[in-house]
């Protein structure tokens, strides 16, 4: 009966539609230099306020709530028409918290670090960007990360847009009507001599090849995504299992039907084959794993309805949602045998003015029956379970001109 209820809910959800995805309208930011602002000095306030409630089941991860905001106040200077410099700070605040561990915020369950900050989790923020041509950009410092990478959910959890530190390192971007390429290195942990923690960084590649004009009645594309994290360092004090290299990747095919209809404007589908590979180290219980992810969506005005199916075997995700793992983040040592999941959801976005947008989403995850092996070695049936996630978001990003140099 419960399985029938899940399928009934998800089938009903797909009769609705959507217009703009939250990733695109709320979480992503512009990645090009505005040539009209040459010789300008301005002030920009970038902010996302959020309230996200996760009611999780199935043994993958315990639920939690994220009430708070992050804000980036920064000065912006355009010395040349193709160069943009930004200097400021990244401040994260959870309502009800008064101190924050000094650590790269990546895992919500396991804080680390012996030092704390009061009031906010605060980081310096700097970005230098030069547009080398109409299509190419080079970025140093705080890169265009998170949703801007356009990674699928098994590889990147959308909640990271709310709680993770800004990615910092180097990035190369290429954007055209037929091809998108994002290559980056995110330096997560720097070490000095005799440090007792590891150096860690992620390198990634995300691309999308449009096989025809994206505005065509039927448009087709090929996504390719790859992430690799290396942990090590020759000058640390860790000698046992001191090197770990972990890899995630995905390749797929997608189609978009631009209907031209006033009510349901767009219908899309995408299928991805996903893999994980532990090249060195013993952090994961499996050296290789795979998964398959199929999703459908429909857009109706400002509402998007979506449904997806996931199945994997021994797949472990570096930064994806916990439900796309064959291991439990809740009970260490517990693994799942060929877990399957059906997910349905709604997204609503409303952009207004030039720098403001609101969004809300609801996701229902139906974890299908299978087996799990506990840390004790015992294998037991895994019953059906249903998880829920709902959130509301407000993005503001106003720009205030301070001075225009060289002009009266």
């Amino acid at each position: 009966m419960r399985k029938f209820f899940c399928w009934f809910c998800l089938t009903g959800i797909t009769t609705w539609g959507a217009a703009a995805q939250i990733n695109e309208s709320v979480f992503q930011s512009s990645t090009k230099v505005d040539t009209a602002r040459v010789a300008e000095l301005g002030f920009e306030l970038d902010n996302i306020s959020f309230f996200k409630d996760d009611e999780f089941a199935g043994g993958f991860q315990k639920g939690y709530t994220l009430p708070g905001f992050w804000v980036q106040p920064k000065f912006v200077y355009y010395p040349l028409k193709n160069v943009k410099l930004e200097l400021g700070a990244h401040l994260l605040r959870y309502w009800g918290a008064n101190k924050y561990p000094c650590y790269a915020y990546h895992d919500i369950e396991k804080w680390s670090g012996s030092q704390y900050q009061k009031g906010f989790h605060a980081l310096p923020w700097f970005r230098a960007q030069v547009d080398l041509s109409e299509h190419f950009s080079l970025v140093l410092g705080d890169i265009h990360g998170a949703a801007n990478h356009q990674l699928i959910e098994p590889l990147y959890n959308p909640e990271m847009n709310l709680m993770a530190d800004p990615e910092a390192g180097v990035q190369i971007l290429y954007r055209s009507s037929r091809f998108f390429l994002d290559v980056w290195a995110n330096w997560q942990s720097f070490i000095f001599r005799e440090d007792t923690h590891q150096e860690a960084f992620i390198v990634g590649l995300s691309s999308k090849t449009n096989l025809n004009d994206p505005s065509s009645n039927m448009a087709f594309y090929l996504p390719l995504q790859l992430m690799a994290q290396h942990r090590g360092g020759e000058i640390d004090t860790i000698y046992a299992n001191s090197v770990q290299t972990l890899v995630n990747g995905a390749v797929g095919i997608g189609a978009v039907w631009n209907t031209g209809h006033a009510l349901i404007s767009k219908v899309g589908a995408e299928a991805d084959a996903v893999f994980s590979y532990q090249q060195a180290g013993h952090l994961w219980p499996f050296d290789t794993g795979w998964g398959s992810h199929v999703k459908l969506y429909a857009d109706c005005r400002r509402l998007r309805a979506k449904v997806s199916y996931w199945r994997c075997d021994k797949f472990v995700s570096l930064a994806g949602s916990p439900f796309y793992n064959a291991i439990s983040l809740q009970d260490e040592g517990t693994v799942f045998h060929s877990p399957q999941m059906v997910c349905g959801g709604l997204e609503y976005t409303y952009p207004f003015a030039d720098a403001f947008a609101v969004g809300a989403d609801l996701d229902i995850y139906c974890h299908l029956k299978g087996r799990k092996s506990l840390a004790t070695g015992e294998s037991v049936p895994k019953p059906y379970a249903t998880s829920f996630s709902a959130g509301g978001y407000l993005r503001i990003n106003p720009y205030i001109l301070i001075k225009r140099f060289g002009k009266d």
Side-chain angles (χ1 to χ4, degrees), residues 158-204:
E159 285 189 6
M160 300 283 281
N161 290 282
L162 310 178
M163 62 187 182
D165 286 348
E167 298 173 38
V170 61
Q171 182 178 41
I172 296 174
L173 292 168
Y174 180 88
R175 298 143 304 206
S176 71
S177 60
R178 289 299 181 94
F179 187 62
F180 164 79
L181 176 67
D182 181 1
V183 180
W184 73 94
N186 173 28
W187 210 271
Q188 297 175 302
S189 175
F190 182 88
I191 63 172
F192 294 95
R193 185 176 295 277
E194 301 302 320
D195 270 346
T196 57
H197 65 278
Q198 291 179 311
E199 178 179 83
F201 60 88
I202 284 182
V203 294

Side-chain angles (χ1 to χ4, degrees), residues 311-325:
R311 181 177 181 176
C312 75
D313 182 50
K314 300 180 180 179
F315 175 80
V316 184
S317 180
L318 277 169
S321 169
F323 300 142
Y324 295 94
N325 277 296

Side-chain angles (χ1 to χ4, degrees), residues 111-320:
W111 302 118
S112 182
S114 58
Q115 296 179 331
Y116 288 83
Q117 297 172 324
K118 293 294 184 66
F120 288 89
H121 174 57
L123 294 169
W125 202 95
F126 175 78
R127 176 187 291 156
Q129 176 172 341
V130 53
D131 285 358
L132 301 173
S133 70
E134 180 184 357
H135 303 297
F136 267 110
S137 295
L138 173 65
V139 183
L140 289 168
D142 288 280
I143 64 176
H144 300 284
N148 288 305
H149 294 316
Q150 302 183 25
L151 299 171
I152 61 174
E153 194 164 330
L155 266 59
Y156 192 84
N157 188 348
E159 285 189 6
M160 300 283 281
N161 290 282
L162 310 178
M163 62 187 182
D165 286 348
E167 298 173 38
V170 61
Q171 182 178 41
I172 296 174
L173 292 168
Y174 180 88
R175 298 143 304 206
S176 71
S177 60
R178 289 299 181 94
F179 187 62
F180 164 79
L181 176 67
D182 181 1
V183 180
W184 73 94
N186 173 28
W187 210 271
Q188 297 175 302
S189 175
F190 182 88
I191 63 172
F192 294 95
R193 185 176 295 277
E194 301 302 320
D195 270 346
T196 57
H197 65 278
Q198 291 179 311
E199 178 179 83
F201 60 88
I202 284 182
V203 294
L205 179 150
S206 176
S207 72
K208 180 180 178 182
T209 303
N210 294 314
L211 300 181
N212 60 341
D213 189 339
S215 62
S216 300
N217 181 251
M218 283 297 299
F220 300 91
Y221 63 91
L222 301 174
L224 173 65
Q225 301 173 0
L226 187 68
M227 295 173 62
Q229 184 189 61
H230 178 76
R231 306 183 188 186
E234 297 183 9
I235 61 174
D236 62 28
T237 58
I238 302 173
Y239 301 105
N241 298 322
S242 62
V243 175
Q244 295 93 31
T245 302
L246 313 168
V247 182
N248 279 174
V251 60
I253 184 170
V256 177
W257 176 27
N258 297 298
T259 67
H261 195 278
L263 180 61
I264 300 179
S265 60
K266 183 187 297 184
V267 177
E270 182 176 321
D272 296 285
V274 184
F275 73 90
S276 60
Y277 173 49
Q278 184 169 235
Q279 188 273 332
H282 306 283
L283 289 177
W284 293 345
F286 316 115
D287 287 334
T288 59
W290 65 270
S292 57
H293 186 240
V294 180
K295 64 180 180 181
L296 304 171
Y297 67 88
D299 287 354
C300 176
R301 303 186 191 278
R302 297 188 178 93
L303 186 69
R304 166 166 289 187
K306 57 187 180 179
V307 61
S308 65
Y309 171 77
W310 167 258
R311 181 177 181 176
C312 75
D313 182 50
K314 300 180 180 179
F315 175 80
V316 184
S317 180
L318 277 169

Side-chain angles (χ1 to χ4, degrees), residues 343-361:
C343 174
L346 293 171
E347 297 182 8
Y348 175 84
T349 57
Y350 182 69
F352 54 98
D354 292 329
F356 302 85
V358 295
D361 60 6

